Amino acid sequence: MAGAYQALLNLTSPVAGAPPFRSRKHTFTTPHLSFSGNRSFGATRSNSLLPRELRSVTRTLVIRNSANPAQEFQGNDGPNQPPQVFASTFLASAKPLLNFVGSNFLPLALISGVTLGLINPSLGCLAHKYHVAKFSTCGIFLISGLTLRSEEVGAAVAAWPVGLYGLASILLLTPLFSKIILLIHLQPQEFVTGLALFCCMPTTLSSGVALTRLAGGNSALALAMTVLSSLLGILIVPFSISKLIAGGVGASLPADQLFRSLILTLLTPLIFGKALRESFKGVADFCDNNRKLLSCVNAILLSLVPWIQVSRSRSLLLMVKLEVFLVAVVMGAVLHLTLLGFNALSIQILCGISGGNKSIFANKENSSALLLVASQKTLPVLVAVVDQLGGSFGESGLLVLPCVAAHLNQIIMDSFFVSFWNKKKQSLGDNKSA
């Protein structure tokens, strides 16, 4: 026993000139053994009491290197990891998921809205009853005004040829595709007629602007094309429907009502937001420093529209044969891809005849705004048109249903395109910095 005791003293004696062994919470000194930390072992012990104390200790003590603060005094119970280390480990493991959600926030929000509308339509119908979609559109244009810099307005004015072609594409050229759609035979025929009517509509009221802003495009140009095409569409859409679809049969629109609605939901919040930005420097600084946050708010507001539309159409959707509805969905997706291809080809042609790479159409910000805004069609105006037609072209619900699917298709598809463009720009930036 005396030999074992002497050997233990030799092991625990420090090297001459070396500091005592330390851990973050526990300090040991020799030849007298003292403990300081969470566990209390009493005061300093004499060497003569050490064997008795060792016999009373029933667990093995492990001392880790104090250079790592994550390492703690442990027993056979296992590691006692501090909360700070656990939180950092959790965040490190969740970082890929958070990056994925951040880079694909808009499509995920839209898909979530559609899913919620299919699972529980009562909430979406209640939101429609209280005009939540109009408030969401007002919110999007309010944010657009708050984040609209004066130099962006100047860039939109400088890009007036791009905006002029955009208006022509939205109101005059893309409606011609309705003639091709009417050649398709599908039962119920209202699906085909509804998509043909959809071609004659102005651009989307909010999603084109929101997507242009997320893509880093000329958002002021997108705003101008959206507002002007919506206001001019009140005059041009009835003419397009009459000549291209109805075969000369007159079609009317509630012009006064639509005009007032567009003024209230588009122009008023846009001007109000811009006035707030110019009047208070703190508002401008906040908006400029929190553009990513405002983009997420934009995406959430935008997802409310498909949520409400799907909730309203769910009962009618269940009445239609699944294979027929899937054909209509595919037709809507093909229509949007066709419009994207048509406008992309038109941009290339216009670049070729107006200066090549120096053309104003070759500017990436202008071309992305034109491509996104001119290739989308609005659903609320279509619903107003169908209501005024009074069953002239068939059952109103069946006319609107494929357009709801086409509206969702174009927003979700373009959101994925925007995410892809942003990732591509980020990778190019990383390569340049490297």
Side-chain angles (χ1 to χ4, degrees):
M1 181 65 186
Y5 170 67
Q6 186 62 39
L8 181 59
L9 285 180
N10 292 337
L11 287 175
T12 58
S13 298
V15 180
F21 293 100
R22 295 182 182 271
S23 69
R24 190 157 62 99
K25 293 184 178 179
H26 310 280
T27 304
F28 297 85
T29 60
T30 54
H32 297 291
L33 185 61
S34 64
F35 296 80
S36 64
N38 295 335
R39 301 177 185 268
S40 177
F41 290 88
T44 304
R45 301 296 184 182
S46 171
N47 285 341
S48 61
L49 297 178
L50 185 60
R52 185 182 304 171
E53 186 72 12
L54 287 176
R55 285 195 300 270
S56 66
V57 176
T58 57
R59 65 176 65 193
T60 303
L61 302 177
V62 180
I63 304 173
R64 293 200 175 187
N65 188 354
S66 61
N68 187 354
Q71 294 172 336
E72 292 286 340
F73 178 80
Q74 305 176 41
N76 286 340
D77 303 337
N80 181 21
Q81 198 176 39
Q84 298 87 343
V85 176
F86 174 78
S88 61
T89 305
F90 175 78
L91 290 176
S93 61
K95 188 175 181 180
L97 178 61
L98 295 175
N99 289 338
F100 175 79
V101 172
S103 58
N104 299 279
F105 188 80
L106 178 59
L108 291 175
L110 293 170
I111 293 173
S112 299
V114 173
T115 304
L116 181 60
L118 291 172
I119 294 175
N120 187 6
S122 58
L123 289 175
C125 294
L126 184 64
H128 172 71
K129 179 181 178 181
Y130 290 100
H131 308 290
V132 172
K134 289 186 178 181
F135 286 111
S136 70
T137 302
C138 289
I140 289 173
F141 277 85
L142 176 63
I143 293 175
S144 298
L146 289 171
T147 56
L148 183 60
R149 298 188 178 102
S150 299
E151 54 268 25
E152 293 177 342
V153 178
V157 173
W160 67 265
V162 182
L164 191 62
Y165 169 77
L167 293 175
S169 176
I170 294 167
L171 297 174
L172 300 176
L173 299 179
T174 53
L176 297 176
F177 286 92
S178 61
K179 281 290 190 182
I180 300 175
I181 294 176
L182 289 173
L183 298 176
I184 301 172
H185 296 284
L186 183 68
Q187 292 299 327
Q189 189 63 26
E190 286 91 340
F191 279 8
V192 177
T193 307
L195 287 175
L197 290 170
F198 192 61
C199 274
C200 299
M201 296 299 112
T203 188
T204 51
L205 299 179
S206 53
S207 59
V209 175
L211 288 166
T212 300
R213 189 173 296 281
L214 289 173
N218 191 334
S219 57
L221 177 63
L223 281 168
M225 288 190 290
T226 298
V227 173
L228 291 176
S229 68
S230 298
L231 297 176
L232 293 174
I234 296 174
L235 304 174
I236 297 176
V237 166
F239 173 80
S240 300
I241 294 175
S242 176
K243 296 299 181 183
L244 298 175
I245 300 175
V249 177
S252 62
L253 273 177
D256 293 341
Q257 180 182 351
L258 275 177
F259 189 82
R260 286 195 300 268
S261 176
L262 292 173
I263 292 295
L264 289 175
T265 57
L266 273 66
L267 273 182
T268 302
L270 176 63
I271 295 173
F272 180 69
K274 179 61 176 172
L276 279 179
R277 178 183 177 87
E278 297 300 325
S279 301
F280 302 99
K281 188 177 184 302
V283 173
D285 293 339
F286 175 82
C287 294
D288 290 340
N289 295 331
N290 295 275
R291 284 183 171 265
K292 189 170 183 179
L293 173 63
L294 293 175
S295 296
C296 292
V297 175
N298 249 346
I300 294 173
L301 293 173
L302 185 58
S303 67
L304 296 178
V305 177
W307 168 52
I308 293 173
Q309 293 296 337
V310 169
S311 299
R312 294 180 61 204
S313 306
R314 181 179 180 272
S315 58
L316 187 61
L317 174 61
L318 297 177
M319 298 170 58
V320 180
K321 291 183 179 180
L322 179 60
E323 58 271 20
V324 176
F325 181 71
L326 289 178
V327 171
V329 170
V330 172
M331 288 173 56
V334 171
L335 170 62
H336 183 57
L337 290 174
T338 302
L339 297 182
L340 283 172
F342 170 75
N343 285 309
L345 180 62
S346 300
I347 291 172
Q348 294 299 319
I349 294 174
L350 291 170
C351 286
I353 63 178
S354 61
N357 292 332
K358 297 181 179 179
S359 170
I360 196 169
F361 288 91
N363 182 283
K364 293 297 183 182
E365 294 182 354
N366 295 337
S367 60
S368 60
L370 175 60
L371 185 63
L372 289 169
V373 174
S375 302
Q376 294 187 359
K377 297 295 180 179
T378 183
L379 184 64
V381 177
L382 174 101
V383 174
V385 170
V386 171
D387 288 341
Q388 292 299 311
L389 291 174
S392 301
F393 292 159
E395 174 63 35
S396 298
L398 295 177
L399 288 171
V400 172
L401 189 59
C403 301
V404 173
H407 181 76
L408 299 178
N409 276 337
Q410 65 185 7
I411 299 176
I412 293 175
M413 291 167 65
D414 287 351
S415 65
F416 278 109
F417 291 150
V418 168
S419 296
F420 174 76
W421 294 341
N422 288 338
K423 289 179 182 177
K424 187 176 180 180
K425 285 192 294 186
Q426 184 177 3
S427 62
L428 289 175
D430 293 341
N431 292 335
K432 288 182 181 179
S433 61

